[in-house]
Amino acid sequence: VNKFKSILLISLLVPLLATTSCIPAPPGLDIHGYQFQRIGVHEIRVPMAGSGVNAHWVRDTGYNSYTNLQTGFTAFLGPEGWVHVNDVRLPAQWGFAYVPRGATHPCTGLTWLFDLDVNDIVVLPCQYLGHVFGMAVAPTTADAQAMPPTFTAVGQGIDGTYGVPMVEFFDEYGRQVATVYASSVDTSAEGPTLTGAMPYLPYNSVYMVIVSSVLSDGTYDVGGVSSLVVNNGAELPPLFDPPPPPDPDPCINDPYNERLMCFPTY
Amino acid sequence: MKKRLWLITTLASCLVLGSLASVRFGTTLQVQAQRSDALTNTDQSSAFDQINKKAGSSKHGAMAETRELVDAVVDPYVGDNPIVNAGGTMVEVKDRLARAEVDYRQGHGKGIPEDNVIRVVNGLCKKFGAPDYAKTDRTEVRTHRMSLLALTPDLTTIDHLQGQRANRTTAGISPNMSPIEAVNVTMSLVYQKVFNEEYQKDATEREVQRRANRSGSVVRLASVSGANHASERTAQMVQIARRGSLPLLMPGRAKSFARRTLDILGIPEIKENK
């Protein structure tokens, strides 16, 4: 009986050890797709949730113990622009492209070629210029001690048809420091151009310049956003004086019985 | 006897191997089954354009238009995620948010202070054990709102300068937001904290970046937009988010988590008599 038990135990352990240590898990990868937009010096991203990604294997770049894995797939990005794909032939070089969403879509036609290893995270960024973009301000940088008398803005969103466009200047903490109106709007050039008097901007900051055009009903609509860096000036006053509030403890004051969420893993 | 032994051992081996295989490949199939048909959007515009468009059209609208705006704000980040949609969680969240927005526009409530966004983000960091670079502060929330101002100007609450009579100390972005703007700021900020290297900075690193930006010597970590792989911090944040969201799989937990988050953010609950 003891011999039988020993053999049974060994017969259970040997395949278990062999399985866990010798056979690697089928390779997979994560794909993250997002659109990004540049606002001045900042970049902000939004997930490409729901978009399709076509992927195709190009060539192996290392040993792969699973030879029958897929060499092409179409995956759809889930919430937060993320999807995990299993059973992918790796390590290898793969090509990626978004499933076309129309000829004019900014992500259509973009392709990527990556050398990938097992469990890599593939990042597929796609720049998009929204309707309030495409405006350029000159100068892009100014000396607070020698400010130019005027500035110009060029962009398709500038329109003087129903009134003089308004230009607002915000410092990087969101304080509106100046509002000026265009002294001239020229629509004869390649792109509509606006000229205005440069306001007094004494502080070092990345100012956001927002041009709003007048609509037919007399209201303003944002037509372009750009940024202007001012340096060699005074230090920008801080946004707030008091320190930030302390972090709340989610495990205290627990009206929805979430105390179970406060195990040491948190 | 010997033959019987081998038969038993062979059967036992098959059972072990079979169970392991089913765990592995079962998981594989489950993951691959995820898909977002509901989110497949053939529109040419970005999510931010959609939000701004809905914000503009719902400014004087009723509940229906407001609800469309809520969908535009929430869906890009949550969409048809089965975890957070469990038990009608998102329907409840969206209803509560839409009602709060309509009430706010009718003059009820002072709006949501920016500090509440900090409480939500830093509270999540504490709950999930995220590092300092995942935390936020007033300055970052404000500068993030500045970026959103460029993308969704119709959703941003601004106290505009009004000619000579303007009070220059208060003109600009309002420190109080509408409920939907507060949710938009919070969700997009959390997303940036997980996936955007430019936002994965602690307070000291943020200040260094700000000074570099002002001097014109832009130290752009954001060039990672052209990178092939997720950065180390992004990979770390993804792991933290995955680990932290595991308890949400338990019944009822997603709903209580969502309610708690809206409570901290300051979104009023729907009163029964409405």
Side-chain angles (χ1 to χ4, degrees), chain A residues 49-110:
Chain A
S51 294
V53 174
N54 289 325
H56 66 278
W57 169 87
V58 177
R59 62 180 174 84
D60 287 331
T61 56
Y63 175 72
N64 188 340
S65 58
Y66 289 85
T67 53
N68 294 322
L69 297 176
Q70 51 186 329
T71 54
F73 60 84
T74 298
F76 287 86
L77 303 177
E80 302 201 324
W82 193 277
V83 68
H84 181 78
V85 184
N86 275 326
D87 297 343
V88 178
R89 187 167 173 136
L90 293 170
Q93 188 176 72
W94 279 75
F96 295 87
Y98 282 109
V99 173
R101 295 166 68 183
T104 59
H105 196 279
C107 305
T108 299
L110 289 178

Coordinates of all heavy atoms in Angstrom, one line a residue, chain A residues 49-110:
Chain A
A49 N -11.1 54.0 -27.2 CA -12.0 52.9 -26.8 C -12.9 52.5 -28.0 O -13.4 53.4 -28.7 CB -12.9 53.4 -25.7
G50 N -13.0 51.2 -28.3 CA -13.8 50.7 -29.3 C -13.2 50.6 -30.7 O -13.8 50.1 -31.6
S51 N -12.0 51.2 -30.8 CA -11.3 51.1 -32.1 C -10.7 49.7 -32.4 O -10.3 49.0 -31.5 CB -10.2 52.1 -32.2 OG -10.7 53.4 -32.1
G52 N -10.7 49.4 -33.6 CA -10.1 48.1 -34.0 C -8.7 48.2 -34.4 O -8.2 49.3 -34.9
V53 N -7.9 47.2 -34.1 CA -6.5 47.2 -34.5 C -6.2 45.9 -35.3 O -6.5 44.8 -34.8 CB -5.6 47.2 -33.2 CG1 -4.1 47.1 -33.6 CG2 -5.8 48.5 -32.4
N54 N -5.6 46.1 -36.5 CA -5.1 45.0 -37.3 C -3.7 44.7 -37.0 O -2.9 45.7 -36.9 CB -5.3 45.3 -38.8 CG -6.8 45.3 -39.2 OD1 -7.6 44.5 -38.7 ND2 -7.1 46.2 -40.1
A55 N -3.3 43.5 -36.7 CA -1.9 43.1 -36.5 C -1.5 42.0 -37.3 O -2.3 41.0 -37.6 CB -1.8 42.8 -35.0
H56 N -0.3 42.0 -37.8 CA 0.2 40.9 -38.6 C 1.7 40.6 -38.2 O 2.5 41.5 -38.0 CB 0.1 41.2 -40.1 CG 1.0 42.3 -40.6 ND1 0.6 43.6 -40.4 CD2 2.2 42.3 -41.1 CE1 1.6 44.4 -40.9 NE2 2.5 43.6 -41.3
W57 N 1.9 39.3 -38.1 CA 3.3 38.8 -37.8 C 4.2 39.1 -39.0 O 3.8 38.9 -40.2 CB 3.2 37.4 -37.4 CG 4.5 36.7 -37.4 CD1 5.4 36.6 -36.3 CD2 5.2 35.9 -38.4 NE1 6.5 35.8 -36.5 CE2 6.4 35.4 -37.8 CE3 4.9 35.6 -39.7 CZ2 7.3 34.6 -38.6 CZ3 5.8 34.8 -40.4 CH2 7.0 34.3 -39.9
V58 N 5.4 39.5 -38.8 CA 6.4 39.7 -39.9 C 7.4 38.7 -39.9 O 7.7 38.0 -40.9 CB 7.0 41.1 -39.8 CG1 8.0 41.3 -40.9 CG2 5.9 42.2 -39.8
R59 N 8.1 38.5 -38.7 CA 9.2 37.5 -38.6 C 9.5 37.2 -37.2 O 9.3 38.0 -36.3 CB 10.4 37.9 -39.4 CG 11.1 39.2 -38.8 CD 12.3 39.6 -39.6 NE 12.8 40.9 -39.1 CZ 13.6 41.0 -38.0 NH1 14.0 39.9 -37.4 NH2 14.1 42.2 -37.7
D60 N 10.0 36.0 -37.0 CA 10.4 35.6 -35.6 C 11.7 36.4 -35.2 O 12.6 36.6 -36.1 CB 10.6 34.1 -35.5 CG 9.3 33.4 -35.5 OD1 8.3 34.0 -35.0 OD2 9.3 32.2 -35.9
T61 N 11.8 36.7 -34.0 CA 13.1 37.3 -33.5 C 13.7 36.5 -32.4 O 14.6 37.0 -31.8 CB 12.8 38.8 -33.1 OG1 11.8 38.7 -32.0 CG2 12.4 39.7 -34.2
G62 N 13.2 35.3 -32.1 CA 13.7 34.5 -31.0 C 13.0 33.2 -31.0 O 12.1 32.9 -31.8
Y63 N 13.4 32.4 -30.1 CA 12.9 31.0 -30.0 C 11.4 31.1 -29.5 O 11.1 31.8 -28.5 CB 13.7 30.1 -29.1 CG 13.1 28.8 -28.9 CD1 13.1 27.8 -29.9 CD2 12.5 28.4 -27.7 CE1 12.5 26.6 -29.7 CE2 12.0 27.2 -27.5 CZ 12.0 26.3 -28.5 OH 11.4 25.0 -28.3
N64 N 10.6 30.3 -30.1 CA 9.2 30.2 -29.7 C 8.8 28.8 -29.5 O 8.8 28.0 -30.5 CB 8.3 30.9 -30.7 CG 6.9 31.1 -30.2 OD1 6.5 30.4 -29.3 ND2 6.1 32.0 -30.8
S65 N 8.4 28.4 -28.3 CA 8.1 27.0 -28.1 C 6.7 26.7 -28.6 O 6.3 25.5 -28.6 CB 8.2 26.7 -26.6 OG 7.4 27.5 -25.8
Y66 N 5.9 27.7 -28.8 CA 4.6 27.5 -29.4 C 4.6 27.9 -30.9 O 4.7 29.1 -31.2 CB 3.5 28.3 -28.7 CG 3.2 27.8 -27.3 CD1 4.0 28.3 -26.2 CD2 2.2 27.0 -27.0 CE1 3.8 27.9 -24.9 CE2 1.9 26.6 -25.7 CZ 2.7 27.0 -24.6 OH 2.4 26.6 -23.4
T67 N 4.6 26.9 -31.7 CA 4.7 27.3 -33.2 C 3.4 27.5 -33.9 O 3.4 28.0 -35.0 CB 5.5 26.1 -33.9 OG1 4.8 24.9 -33.6 CG2 6.9 26.1 -33.4
N68 N 2.3 27.1 -33.3 CA 1.1 27.2 -34.0 C 0.2 28.4 -33.6 O -1.0 28.4 -33.7 CB 0.3 25.9 -33.9 CG 1.0 24.8 -34.5 OD1 1.6 25.0 -35.6 ND2 1.0 23.6 -33.9
L69 N 0.8 29.4 -33.0 CA 0.1 30.5 -32.5 C -0.3 31.5 -33.7 O 0.3 31.4 -34.7 CB 0.9 31.3 -31.5 CG 1.2 30.5 -30.2 CD1 2.1 31.3 -29.3 CD2 -0.1 30.1 -29.5
Q70 N -1.2 32.3 -33.4 CA -1.8 33.2 -34.5 C -0.7 34.2 -35.0 O 0.1 34.7 -34.2 CB -3.0 33.9 -34.0 CG -2.9 34.7 -32.7 CD -4.2 35.2 -32.3 OE1 -5.1 35.5 -33.2 NE2 -4.5 35.4 -31.0
T71 N -0.8 34.4 -36.3 CA 0.2 35.3 -36.9 C -0.6 36.5 -37.5 O 0.0 37.2 -38.3 CB 0.9 34.6 -38.1 OG1 0.0 34.0 -38.9 CG2 1.9 33.5 -37.5
G72 N -1.8 36.7 -37.1 CA -2.5 37.8 -37.5 C -3.8 37.9 -36.8 O -4.4 36.8 -36.5
F73 N -4.3 39.1 -36.4 CA -5.5 39.2 -35.7 C -6.1 40.6 -35.8 O -5.3 41.5 -36.1 CB -5.4 38.8 -34.2 CG -4.4 39.6 -33.4 CD1 -4.8 40.8 -32.9 CD2 -3.1 39.2 -33.2 CE1 -3.9 41.6 -32.1 CE2 -2.2 40.0 -32.5 CZ -2.6 41.2 -32.0
T74 N -7.3 40.7 -35.5 CA -8.0 42.0 -35.3 C -8.5 42.1 -33.9 O -9.3 41.2 -33.5 CB -9.1 42.3 -36.3 OG1 -8.5 42.2 -37.7 CG2 -9.8 43.6 -36.1
A75 N -8.0 43.0 -33.1 CA -8.5 43.2 -31.8 C -9.2 44.5 -31.6 O -8.9 45.5 -32.3 CB -7.3 43.1 -30.8
F76 N -10.2 44.5 -30.7 CA -10.9 45.8 -30.5 C -10.6 46.3 -29.1 O -10.6 45.6 -28.1 CB -12.4 45.5 -30.6 CG -12.8 45.3 -32.1 CD1 -12.8 44.1 -32.6 CD2 -13.2 46.4 -32.8 CE1 -13.1 43.9 -34.0 CE2 -13.6 46.3 -34.2 CZ -13.5 45.0 -34.7
L77 N -10.2 47.6 -29.1 CA -9.7 48.2 -27.8 C -11.0 48.4 -26.9 O -12.0 48.9 -27.3 CB -9.1 49.5 -28.1 CG -7.8 49.5 -29.0 CD1 -7.3 50.9 -29.2 CD2 -6.7 48.6 -28.4
G78 N -10.8 47.9 -25.7 CA -11.9 48.1 -24.7 C -11.8 49.4 -24.0 O -11.2 50.4 -24.5
P79 N -12.5 49.5 -22.9 CA -12.5 50.8 -22.1 C -11.0 51.1 -21.8 O -10.2 50.3 -21.6 CB -13.3 50.4 -20.9 CG -14.1 49.2 -21.2 CD -13.3 48.5 -22.3
E80 N -10.8 52.4 -21.8 CA -9.4 52.9 -21.6 C -8.5 52.6 -22.7 O -7.3 52.6 -22.6 CB -8.9 52.5 -20.2 CG -9.8 53.0 -19.1 CD -9.1 53.0 -17.8 OE1 -8.2 52.2 -17.5 OE2 -9.4 53.9 -17.0
G81 N -9.0 52.2 -23.9 CA -8.2 51.9 -25.0 C -7.3 50.8 -24.9 O -6.2 50.8 -25.4
W82 N -7.7 49.7 -24.2 CA -6.8 48.7 -23.8 C -7.4 47.3 -24.2 O -8.6 47.1 -24.0 CB -6.6 48.7 -22.3 CG -5.5 47.9 -21.8 CD1 -5.5 46.5 -21.5 CD2 -4.1 48.3 -21.5 NE1 -4.3 46.1 -21.1 CE2 -3.4 47.2 -21.1 CE3 -3.5 49.5 -21.6 CZ2 -2.1 47.2 -20.7 CZ3 -2.2 49.6 -21.2 CH2 -1.5 48.5 -20.8
V83 N -6.5 46.4 -24.6 CA -6.9 45.1 -24.9 C -5.8 44.1 -24.7 O -4.6 44.5 -24.9 CB -7.5 44.9 -26.3 CG1 -6.5 45.0 -27.4 CG2 -8.3 43.5 -26.4
H84 N -6.0 43.0 -24.1 CA -5.0 41.9 -24.0 C -5.3 40.8 -25.0 O -6.4 40.4 -25.1 CB -5.0 41.4 -22.5 CG -4.0 40.3 -22.3 ND1 -2.6 40.6 -22.2 CD2 -4.0 39.0 -22.4 CE1 -1.9 39.5 -22.0 NE2 -2.8 38.5 -22.2
V85 N -4.3 40.4 -25.7 CA -4.4 39.4 -26.7 C -3.5 38.2 -26.3 O -2.3 38.4 -26.1 CB -4.1 39.9 -28.1 CG1 -4.3 38.8 -29.2 CG2 -4.9 41.2 -28.4
N86 N -4.1 37.0 -26.3 CA -3.3 35.8 -26.0 C -3.0 35.0 -27.2 O -3.5 35.3 -28.3 CB -4.1 35.0 -25.0 CG -3.9 35.4 -23.5 OD1 -2.8 35.9 -23.2 ND2 -4.9 35.3 -22.8
D87 N -2.1 34.1 -27.0 CA -1.7 33.1 -28.1 C -1.2 33.9 -29.3 O -1.6 33.6 -30.4 CB -3.0 32.3 -28.5 CG -3.5 31.4 -27.4 OD1 -2.7 31.2 -26.4 OD2 -4.6 31.0 -27.4
V88 N -0.3 34.8 -29.1 CA 0.3 35.5 -30.1 C 1.7 35.0 -30.4 O 2.5 34.7 -29.4 CB 0.4 37.0 -29.8 CG1 1.1 37.8 -30.9 CG2 -1.0 37.6 -29.5
R89 N 2.1 34.9 -31.6 CA 3.5 34.3 -31.9 C 4.5 35.3 -31.5 O 4.7 36.4 -32.2 CB 3.5 34.0 -33.4 CG 4.8 33.3 -33.8 CD 4.7 32.8 -35.2 NE 5.9 32.2 -35.7 CZ 6.0 31.1 -36.3 NH1 4.9 30.4 -36.6 NH2 7.2 30.6 -36.8
L90 N 5.3 35.0 -30.5 CA 6.3 35.9 -29.9 C 7.4 35.1 -29.4 O 7.2 33.9 -29.0 CB 5.7 36.7 -28.8 CG 4.6 37.8 -29.1 CD1 4.0 38.3 -27.8 CD2 5.2 38.9 -29.9
P91 N 8.6 35.6 -29.3 CA 9.0 37.0 -29.7 C 9.1 37.1 -31.2 O 9.6 36.2 -31.9 CB 10.4 37.1 -29.1 CG 10.9 35.8 -28.9 CD 9.7 34.9 -28.7
A92 N 8.7 38.2 -31.7 CA 8.7 38.4 -33.2 C 8.5 39.9 -33.5 O 8.2 40.7 -32.7 CB 7.5 37.6 -33.8
Q93 N 8.7 40.2 -34.8 CA 8.4 41.5 -35.3 C 6.9 41.5 -35.8 O 6.5 40.6 -36.6 CB 9.3 41.9 -36.4 CG 9.2 43.3 -36.8 CD 10.2 43.7 -37.9 OE1 10.1 43.3 -39.0 NE2 11.2 44.5 -37.5
W94 N 6.2 42.5 -35.3 CA 4.8 42.6 -35.7 C 4.5 44.0 -36.3 O 5.0 45.0 -35.9 CB 3.9 42.4 -34.5 CG 3.6 40.9 -34.1 CD1 4.5 40.1 -33.5 CD2 2.5 40.1 -34.4 NE1 4.0 38.8 -33.4 CE2 2.7 38.8 -33.9 CE3 1.2 40.4 -35.0 CZ2 1.8 37.8 -34.0 CZ3 0.3 39.4 -35.0 CH2 0.6 38.1 -34.6
G95 N 3.5 44.0 -37.2 CA 3.1 45.2 -37.8 C 1.6 45.5 -37.3 O 0.8 44.6 -37.1
F96 N 1.4 46.8 -37.0 CA 0.1 47.2 -36.5 C -0.5 48.4 -37.3 O 0.2 49.2 -37.8 CB 0.2 47.6 -35.0 CG 0.6 46.5 -34.1 CD1 1.9 46.3 -33.9 CD2 -0.3 45.7 -33.4 CE1 2.3 45.2 -33.0 CE2 0.0 44.7 -32.6 CZ 1.4 44.5 -32.4
A97 N -1.8 48.4 -37.3 CA -2.5 49.5 -37.9 C -4.0 49.6 -37.4 O -4.5 48.5 -37.1 CB -2.6 49.4 -39.5
Y98 N -4.5 50.8 -37.2 CA -5.9 50.9 -36.8 C -6.8 50.4 -38.0 O -6.5 50.7 -39.2 CB -6.2 52.3 -36.4 CG -5.8 52.7 -35.0 CD1 -4.7 53.6 -34.9 CD2 -6.3 52.1 -33.9 CE1 -4.3 53.9 -33.6 CE2 -5.9 52.4 -32.7 CZ -4.9 53.3 -32.5 OH -4.4 53.6 -31.2
V99 N -7.9 49.8 -37.6 CA -8.9 49.5 -38.7 C -9.4 50.8 -39.2 O -9.8 51.7 -38.4 CB -10.1 48.7 -38.0 CG1 -11.2 48.5 -39.0 CG2 -9.6 47.3 -37.5
P100 N -9.3 51.0 -40.5 CA -9.7 52.3 -41.1 C -11.1 52.8 -40.7 O -12.1 52.0 -40.7 CB -9.6 52.1 -42.6 CG -8.7 50.9 -42.7 CD -8.9 50.1 -41.5
R101 N -11.2 54.0 -40.3 CA -12.5 54.6 -39.9 C -12.9 55.7 -40.8 O -13.5 56.7 -40.4 CB -12.5 55.1 -38.5 CG -12.3 53.9 -37.5 CD -11.9 54.4 -36.1 NE -12.9 55.1 -35.4 CZ -12.8 55.7 -34.2 NH1 -11.6 55.6 -33.6 NH2 -13.8 56.3 -33.7
G102 N -12.5 55.6 -42.1 CA -12.7 56.7 -43.0 C -11.4 57.3 -43.5 O -10.5 57.4 -42.7
A103 N -11.4 57.8 -44.7 CA -10.2 58.3 -45.3 C -9.7 59.5 -44.6 O -8.5 59.8 -44.6 CB -10.5 58.6 -46.8
T104 N -10.6 60.3 -44.0 CA -10.1 61.5 -43.4 C -9.8 61.4 -41.9 O -9.3 62.3 -41.3 CB -11.2 62.6 -43.5 OG1 -12.4 62.1 -42.9 CG2 -11.5 62.9 -45.0
H105 N -10.0 60.2 -41.4 CA -9.7 60.0 -39.9 C -8.2 60.1 -39.7 O -7.5 59.5 -40.5 CB -10.3 58.7 -39.5 CG -10.4 58.6 -38.0 ND1 -9.3 58.3 -37.2 CD2 -11.4 58.8 -37.1 CE1 -9.6 58.3 -35.9 NE2 -10.9 58.6 -35.8
P106 N -7.8 60.8 -38.7 CA -6.3 61.0 -38.5 C -5.6 59.7 -38.2 O -4.4 59.6 -38.4 CB -6.2 61.9 -37.3 CG -7.6 61.8 -36.6 CD -8.6 61.5 -37.7
C107 N -6.3 58.6 -37.8 CA -5.6 57.4 -37.5 C -5.5 56.5 -38.7 O -4.8 55.5 -38.6 CB -6.3 56.7 -36.3 SG -6.4 57.7 -34.8
T108 N -6.3 56.8 -39.7 CA -6.2 55.9 -40.9 C -4.9 56.1 -41.6 O -4.5 57.2 -41.9 CB -7.4 56.3 -41.9 OG1 -8.6 56.1 -41.2 CG2 -7.4 55.5 -43.1
G109 N -4.3 55.0 -42.0 CA -3.0 55.0 -42.7 C -1.8 55.0 -41.8 O -0.7 54.7 -42.3
L110 N -2.0 55.1 -40.5 CA -0.8 55.0 -39.6 C -0.5 53.6 -39.4 O -1.3 52.7 -39.2 CB -1.2 55.6 -38.2 CG -1.3 57.1 -38.1 CD1 -1.7 57.5 -36.7 CD2 -0.1 57.8 -38.5

